[in-house]
Amino acid sequence: GSQKKNGGPSAVVKATVTTSRRPCCSTQSVCREETQPGTQSIKLERFQAVAKVLIVTTFMEDAMRVILTFSVQQKSMVIAGWQNPFLHTALPILSLIIQFTGGLLIALPSAGRRPEAGCYLLIAWCLWHPFMYRQQQNWEFVLETLTIQGGLLILLSHFMLLRPDAKQPLLGGSKVDNPIHKRANQLQAFGRMLIVAIFLYYAFQKVHTYTQRMHHFGLSNQQAETAWGTIMIEGIVIVVLLYMCSLVIIGMKSRWCALALALMMFVTACYFHPFWIYMISSKETYDLEGVAGMEGYTVDAFTMADHQRYFFFQTMSTVGALLLLVVHGPGNLSVDEHNGPMQLPTAKGDA
């Protein structure tokens, strides 16, 4: 048929169909099976719901942290350098209102343009968040926030295409000619570029480590022998990471790449930010790391768990951003879908 087959991982989601098979005998008594397409959208909607919940987890968790540890958040404002006592209270309250409202508008089923408003709220918050906590020089923090913004832009483009006026083609044209479609595709393309921001940071961070190891490789044969395996592995990781980021940016096999990166980030969250370990640890104090401006601080187990929980859910929101790309695809401004969204055959006869 004229339908394109989707080779991406969304096939795992979309290809789950409810089928009813019945014998159909011809005059020659040759029986065969017919497959009737069912409601394949159910699994897709569930997968999309999981991605939406994941992307707002960091905002909802941060809002709950403000409620449960308000005095700690006030101290954080002091540590961040805000001198006005009024801001020590006002900024956490602002954080609570914006994140909780934006998260609910996106996560809860709703009609109209409320989900779009939720996306705009959280995107604006992501722009302000690093400055509020004086983390604008913490590149990992900033770029991971940009990755989450990329996922929000992809989600926003999806909500825009659900508008009633976006579903109607222009007179004498097609739906693609609709200005809402054009803007949605532009946002989706920009979202793809932002969504790989944190991975480009990891790649260039690896490049820096790689060059250091190569420097030692040239100075000491003994070090070269022990570091050779690590150098090879790091080199492969750098190439693969940059290659996958490039594919996501141009929209080629982007669903597969996004799925692989999402799995990598999930493992990273569990390995580097296991906040549950600090909650049950018998150790009383820890050295705080990874927070700009707080290097060298010694904190208790509760505070350490609080910080690690924040970074864990921030990483899980990155996973949600990537899964949104898996669900909604790269859009028209891409190599894979420049002629329109790919569709799966829903019956054997479509193949």
Side-chain angles (χ1 to χ4, degrees):
S2 61
Q3 287 181 320
K4 294 183 180 180
K5 294 183 180 179
N6 191 341
S10 60
V12 178
V13 181
K14 293 183 181 178
T16 305
V17 296
T18 304
T19 60
S20 60
R21 294 179 177 176
R22 65 177 187 273
C24 184
C25 298
S26 65
T27 56
Q28 298 176 343
S29 299
V30 178
C31 294
R32 53 199 171 100
E33 290 184 337
E34 282 188 356
T35 304
Q36 293 182 341
T39 54
Q40 64 170 344
S41 61
I42 296 177
K43 293 292 184 181
L44 178 61
E45 289 175 356
R46 290 177 180 174
F47 194 71
Q48 179 188 2
V50 171
K52 284 167 57 179
V53 169
L54 282 176
I55 199 171
V56 300
T57 51
T58 186
F59 304 104
M60 302 301 288
E61 188 275 335
D62 200 27
M64 291 301 299
R65 276 200 317 144
V66 173
I67 296 174
L68 298 175
T69 60
F70 192 78
S71 61
V72 175
Q73 301 306 313
Q74 288 178 307
K75 292 179 181 178
S76 297
M77 297 299 98
V78 176
I79 295 174
W82 296 101
Q83 302 297 327
N84 191 329
F86 171 75
L87 295 178
H88 300 163
T89 301
L91 289 177
I93 292 177
L94 179 67
S95 166
L96 168 64
I97 294 173
I98 293 178
Q99 294 186 93
F100 196 72
T101 303
L104 287 180
L105 287 174
I106 291 175
L108 295 180
S110 58
R113 299 175 65 170
R114 282 176 288 179
E116 291 183 44
C119 290
Y120 283 120
L121 267 178
L122 295 185
I123 289 171
W125 174 253
C126 287
L127 292 172
W128 162 246
H129 193 201
F131 296 94
M132 175 176 164
Y133 285 95
R134 296 292 195 265
Q135 295 294 305
Q136 63 268 26
Q137 294 181 347
N138 184 345
W139 285 106
E140 183 175 4
F141 183 89
V142 171
L143 293 175
E144 192 158 13
T145 302
L146 282 178
T147 294
I148 296 173
Q149 290 180 71
L152 289 170
L153 286 174
I154 291 174
L155 186 59
L156 175 60
S157 68
H158 166 70
F159 288 137
M160 291 175 65
L161 294 177
L162 293 179
R163 295 181 192 174
D165 51 344
K167 298 179 181 180
Q168 300 297 326
L170 296 177
L171 184 63
S174 64
K175 290 183 180 180
V176 181
D177 297 325
N178 193 305
I180 298 177
H181 275 256
K182 291 182 179 181
R183 187 183 175 197
N185 287 321
Q186 290 169 354
L187 288 176
Q188 200 166 9
F190 188 50
R192 287 202 320 269
M193 289 188 283
L194 291 183
I195 213 169
V196 298
I198 187 62
F199 301 100
L200 291 175
Y201 170 80
Y202 290 150
F204 285 108
Q205 192 179 48
K206 285 288 183 184
V207 168
H208 178 69
T209 305
Y210 184 79
T211 54
Q212 287 184 326
R213 291 188 183 278
M214 290 299 293
H215 178 68
H216 289 299
F217 178 84
L219 291 178
S220 170
N221 291 331
Q222 183 177 2
Q223 287 181 339
E225 292 175 1
T226 56
W228 176 254
T230 304
I231 290 174
M232 291 296 294
I233 293 173
E234 287 182 347
I236 294 172
V237 169
I238 292 168
V239 173
V240 171
L241 204 53
L242 290 175
Y243 179 67
M244 293 175 69
C245 289
S246 301
L247 291 181
V248 170
I249 290 173
I250 66 174
M252 183 177 181
K253 303 297 182 183
S254 54
R255 282 189 165 109
W256 278 114
C257 293
L259 182 62
L261 293 173
L263 291 174
M264 186 187 77
M265 290 303 287
F266 176 77
V267 173
T268 298
C270 295
Y271 182 78
F272 288 104
H273 306 297
F275 64 91
W276 53 90
I277 292 179
Y278 299 100
M279 297 175 67
I280 61 175
S281 174
S282 58
K283 188 176 178 181
E284 295 183 356
T285 59
Y286 293 88
D287 293 331
L288 193 60
E289 298 178 355
V291 182
M294 299 186 69
E295 297 87 349
Y297 273 71
T298 300
V299 297
D300 55 41
F302 175 83
T303 304
M304 188 67 176
D306 186 58
H307 277 83
Q308 292 301 319
R309 184 171 63 251
Y310 174 80
F311 290 127
F312 175 85
F313 283 109
Q314 186 184 42
T315 307
M316 292 306 295
S317 287
T318 302
V319 173
L322 291 161
L323 291 181
L324 285 170
L325 179 56
V326 175
V327 173
H328 299 300
N332 287 87
L333 299 180
S334 65
V335 174
D336 285 341
E337 299 185 0
H338 64 280
N339 289 324
M342 292 183 177
Q343 297 179 356
L344 284 177
T346 57
K348 292 181 179 179
D350 294 338

mmCIF file of all heavy atoms in Angstrom, residues 63-86:
data_model
loop_
_atom_site.group_PDB
_atom_site.id
_atom_site.type_symbol
_atom_site.label_atom_id
_atom_site.label_comp_id
_atom_site.label_asym_id
_atom_site.label_seq_id
_atom_site.Cartn_x
_atom_site.Cartn_y
_atom_site.Cartn_z
ATOM 1 N N ALA A 63 8.037 20.824 43.911
ATOM 2 C CA ALA A 63 6.938 21.523 44.575
ATOM 3 C C ALA A 63 6.622 20.884 45.922
ATOM 4 O O ALA A 63 6.382 21.582 46.920
ATOM 5 C CB ALA A 63 5.703 21.520 43.682
ATOM 6 N N MET A 64 6.626 19.550 45.972
ATOM 7 C CA MET A 64 6.373 18.858 47.233
ATOM 8 C C MET A 64 7.500 19.109 48.234
ATOM 9 O O MET A 64 7.260 19.226 49.440
ATOM 10 C CB MET A 64 6.218 17.361 46.983
ATOM 11 C CG MET A 64 4.961 16.977 46.220
ATOM 12 S SD MET A 64 3.455 17.501 47.074
ATOM 13 C CE MET A 64 3.601 16.600 48.614
ATOM 14 N N ARG A 65 8.716 19.224 47.728
ATOM 15 C CA ARG A 65 9.848 19.517 48.624
ATOM 16 C C ARG A 65 9.676 20.883 49.275
ATOM 17 O O ARG A 65 10.024 21.066 50.447
ATOM 18 C CB ARG A 65 11.174 19.499 47.836
ATOM 19 C CG ARG A 65 11.765 18.124 47.669
ATOM 20 C CD ARG A 65 13.235 18.184 47.350
ATOM 21 N NE ARG A 65 13.575 19.200 46.374
ATOM 22 C CZ ARG A 65 14.698 19.916 46.417
ATOM 23 N NH1 ARG A 65 15.554 19.757 47.387
ATOM 24 N NH2 ARG A 65 14.953 20.793 45.474
ATOM 25 N N VAL A 66 9.176 21.840 48.503
ATOM 26 C CA VAL A 66 8.950 23.175 49.060
ATOM 27 C C VAL A 66 7.935 23.106 50.202
ATOM 28 O O VAL A 66 8.106 23.755 51.246
ATOM 29 C CB VAL A 66 8.476 24.143 47.960
ATOM 30 C CG1 VAL A 66 8.082 25.487 48.566
ATOM 31 C CG2 VAL A 66 9.577 24.345 46.923
ATOM 32 N N ILE A 67 6.883 22.305 50.003
ATOM 33 C CA ILE A 67 5.850 22.189 51.033
ATOM 34 C C ILE A 67 6.388 21.511 52.285
ATOM 35 O O ILE A 67 6.170 21.971 53.411
ATOM 36 C CB ILE A 67 4.639 21.409 50.480
ATOM 37 C CG1 ILE A 67 3.983 22.189 49.334
ATOM 38 C CG2 ILE A 67 3.617 21.144 51.596
ATOM 39 C CD1 ILE A 67 2.867 21.427 48.643
ATOM 40 N N LEU A 68 7.100 20.399 52.082
ATOM 41 C CA LEU A 68 7.530 19.576 53.217
ATOM 42 C C LEU A 68 8.757 20.130 53.932
ATOM 43 O O LEU A 68 8.951 19.865 55.123
ATOM 44 C CB LEU A 68 7.806 18.149 52.736
ATOM 45 C CG LEU A 68 6.602 17.405 52.138
ATOM 46 C CD1 LEU A 68 7.025 16.048 51.596
ATOM 47 C CD2 LEU A 68 5.496 17.250 53.174
ATOM 48 N N THR A 69 9.600 20.870 53.209
ATOM 49 C CA THR A 69 10.836 21.392 53.828
ATOM 50 C C THR A 69 10.968 22.876 53.517
ATOM 51 O O THR A 69 11.979 23.311 52.950
ATOM 52 C CB THR A 69 12.065 20.617 53.299
ATOM 53 O OG1 THR A 69 12.149 20.786 51.870
ATOM 54 C CG2 THR A 69 11.976 19.141 53.625
ATOM 55 N N PHE A 70 9.961 23.639 53.878
ATOM 56 C CA PHE A 70 9.950 25.055 53.510
ATOM 57 C C PHE A 70 11.112 25.809 54.144
ATOM 58 O O PHE A 70 11.730 26.672 53.505
ATOM 59 C CB PHE A 70 8.621 25.692 53.934
ATOM 60 C CG PHE A 70 8.418 27.055 53.352
ATOM 61 C CD1 PHE A 70 8.009 27.210 52.037
ATOM 62 C CD2 PHE A 70 8.644 28.198 54.110
ATOM 63 C CE1 PHE A 70 7.819 28.470 51.497
ATOM 64 C CE2 PHE A 70 8.461 29.459 53.568
ATOM 65 C CZ PHE A 70 8.049 29.592 52.264
ATOM 66 N N SER A 71 11.441 25.512 55.395
ATOM 67 C CA SER A 71 12.545 26.207 56.063
ATOM 68 C C SER A 71 13.877 25.899 55.389
ATOM 69 O O SER A 71 14.746 26.764 55.290
ATOM 70 C CB SER A 71 12.597 25.818 57.542
ATOM 71 O OG SER A 71 12.807 24.420 57.690
ATOM 72 N N VAL A 72 14.019 24.658 54.899
ATOM 73 C CA VAL A 72 15.248 24.294 54.178
ATOM 74 C C VAL A 72 15.353 25.083 52.885
ATOM 75 O O VAL A 72 16.439 25.535 52.496
ATOM 76 C CB VAL A 72 15.279 22.778 53.901
ATOM 77 C CG1 VAL A 72 16.488 22.412 53.045
ATOM 78 C CG2 VAL A 72 15.294 21.987 55.203
ATOM 79 N N GLN A 73 14.209 25.259 52.195
ATOM 80 C CA GLN A 73 14.208 26.029 50.950
ATOM 81 C C GLN A 73 14.553 27.494 51.206
ATOM 82 O O GLN A 73 15.232 28.135 50.393
ATOM 83 C CB GLN A 73 12.835 25.916 50.276
ATOM 84 C CG GLN A 73 12.417 24.497 49.942
ATOM 85 C CD GLN A 73 13.456 23.773 49.111
ATOM 86 O OE1 GLN A 73 13.962 24.308 48.118
ATOM 87 N NE2 GLN A 73 13.788 22.556 49.515
ATOM 88 N N GLN A 74 14.107 28.010 52.340
ATOM 89 C CA GLN A 74 14.464 29.387 52.700
ATOM 90 C C GLN A 74 15.972 29.512 52.922
ATOM 91 O O GLN A 74 16.590 30.495 52.497
ATOM 92 C CB GLN A 74 13.700 29.814 53.952
ATOM 93 C CG GLN A 74 12.219 30.051 53.722
ATOM 94 C CD GLN A 74 11.494 30.416 54.998
ATOM 95 O OE1 GLN A 74 11.583 29.717 56.009
ATOM 96 N NE2 GLN A 74 10.767 31.534 54.979
ATOM 97 N N LYS A 75 16.561 28.514 53.566
ATOM 98 C CA LYS A 75 18.010 28.516 53.764
ATOM 99 C C LYS A 75 18.745 28.414 52.433
ATOM 100 O O LYS A 75 19.817 29.001 52.262
ATOM 101 C CB LYS A 75 18.412 27.378 54.688
ATOM 102 C CG LYS A 75 17.948 27.544 56.131
ATOM 103 C CD LYS A 75 18.361 26.354 56.979
ATOM 104 C CE LYS A 75 17.868 26.509 58.413
ATOM 105 N NZ LYS A 75 18.219 25.334 59.252
ATOM 106 N N SER A 76 18.175 27.662 51.505
ATOM 107 C CA SER A 76 18.777 27.547 50.179
ATOM 108 C C SER A 76 18.830 28.896 49.475
ATOM 109 O O SER A 76 19.794 29.199 48.756
ATOM 110 C CB SER A 76 17.991 26.546 49.322
ATOM 111 O OG SER A 76 18.041 25.254 49.883
ATOM 112 N N MET A 77 17.807 29.716 49.688
ATOM 113 C CA MET A 77 17.805 31.051 49.101
ATOM 114 C C MET A 77 18.918 31.913 49.709
ATOM 115 O O MET A 77 19.549 32.717 49.021
ATOM 116 C CB MET A 77 16.453 31.727 49.312
ATOM 117 C CG MET A 77 15.272 31.037 48.627
ATOM 118 S SD MET A 77 15.436 30.962 46.821
ATOM 119 C CE MET A 77 16.071 29.289 46.598
ATOM 120 N N VAL A 78 19.161 31.727 51.003
ATOM 121 C CA VAL A 78 20.251 32.457 51.663
ATOM 122 C C VAL A 78 21.587 32.010 51.091
ATOM 123 O O VAL A 78 22.460 32.825 50.770
ATOM 124 C CB VAL A 78 20.201 32.232 53.189
ATOM 125 C CG1 VAL A 78 21.388 32.914 53.860
ATOM 126 C CG2 VAL A 78 18.895 32.754 53.765
ATOM 127 N N ILE A 79 21.763 30.673 50.948
ATOM 128 C CA ILE A 79 23.014 30.138 50.402
ATOM 129 C C ILE A 79 23.215 30.602 48.961
ATOM 130 O O ILE A 79 24.343 30.876 48.526
ATOM 131 C CB ILE A 79 23.007 28.601 50.479
ATOM 132 C CG1 ILE A 79 22.994 28.151 51.942
ATOM 133 C CG2 ILE A 79 24.207 28.008 49.751
ATOM 134 C CD1 ILE A 79 22.834 26.655 52.122
ATOM 135 N N ALA A 80 22.101 30.714 48.215
ATOM 136 C CA ALA A 80 22.197 31.152 46.815
ATOM 137 C C ALA A 80 22.581 32.616 46.689
ATOM 138 O O ALA A 80 22.945 33.074 45.604
ATOM 139 C CB ALA A 80 20.864 30.901 46.108
ATOM 140 N N GLY A 81 22.486 33.374 47.794
ATOM 141 C CA GLY A 81 22.953 34.757 47.766
ATOM 142 C C GLY A 81 21.867 35.804 47.719
ATOM 143 O O GLY A 81 22.167 37.000 47.537
ATOM 144 N N TRP A 82 20.601 35.421 47.873
ATOM 145 C CA TRP A 82 19.529 36.399 47.895
ATOM 146 C C TRP A 82 19.524 37.101 49.250
ATOM 147 O O TRP A 82 19.337 36.468 50.285
ATOM 148 C CB TRP A 82 18.187 35.726 47.636
ATOM 149 C CG TRP A 82 18.088 35.104 46.272
ATOM 150 C CD1 TRP A 82 18.234 33.788 45.962
ATOM 151 C CD2 TRP A 82 17.855 35.790 45.043
ATOM 152 N NE1 TRP A 82 18.100 33.587 44.613
ATOM 153 C CE2 TRP A 82 17.859 34.811 44.016
ATOM 154 C CE3 TRP A 82 17.628 37.124 44.695
ATOM 155 C CZ2 TRP A 82 17.664 35.132 42.678
ATOM 156 C CZ3 TRP A 82 17.438 37.433 43.359
ATOM 157 C CH2 TRP A 82 17.446 36.459 42.373
ATOM 158 N N GLN A 83 19.718 38.405 49.269
ATOM 159 C CA GLN A 83 19.895 39.160 50.500
ATOM 160 C C GLN A 83 18.580 39.634 51.126
ATOM 161 O O GLN A 83 18.470 39.745 52.337
ATOM 162 C CB GLN A 83 20.793 40.381 50.223
ATOM 163 C CG GLN A 83 22.157 40.024 49.664
ATOM 164 C CD GLN A 83 22.981 39.192 50.633
ATOM 165 O OE1 GLN A 83 22.883 39.354 51.851
ATOM 166 N NE2 GLN A 83 23.806 38.302 50.091
ATOM 167 N N ASN A 84 17.604 39.902 50.299
ATOM 168 C CA ASN A 84 16.337 40.427 50.798
ATOM 169 C C ASN A 84 15.566 39.324 51.537
ATOM 170 O O ASN A 84 15.224 38.293 50.939
ATOM 171 C CB ASN A 84 15.505 40.954 49.629
ATOM 172 C CG ASN A 84 14.306 41.754 50.095
ATOM 173 O OD1 ASN A 84 13.738 41.504 51.149
ATOM 174 N ND2 ASN A 84 13.923 42.745 49.286
ATOM 175 N N PRO A 85 15.238 39.496 52.814
ATOM 176 C CA PRO A 85 14.507 38.462 53.567
ATOM 177 C C PRO A 85 13.151 38.123 52.949
ATOM 178 O O PRO A 85 12.680 36.984 53.066
ATOM 179 C CB PRO A 85 14.344 39.084 54.955
ATOM 180 C CG PRO A 85 15.450 40.085 55.058
ATOM 181 C CD PRO A 85 15.627 40.621 53.675
ATOM 182 N N PHE A 86 12.525 39.101 52.299
ATOM 183 C CA PHE A 86 11.236 38.843 51.659
ATOM 184 C C PHE A 86 11.365 37.771 50.575
ATOM 185 O O PHE A 86 10.492 36.905 50.420
ATOM 186 C CB PHE A 86 10.693 40.137 51.058
ATOM 187 C CG PHE A 86 9.478 39.933 50.189
ATOM 188 C CD1 PHE A 86 8.233 39.679 50.761
ATOM 189 C CD2 PHE A 86 9.588 39.979 48.809
ATOM 190 C CE1 PHE A 86 7.112 39.485 49.949
ATOM 191 C CE2 PHE A 86 8.482 39.783 48.001
ATOM 192 C CZ PHE A 86 7.235 39.531 48.574
#
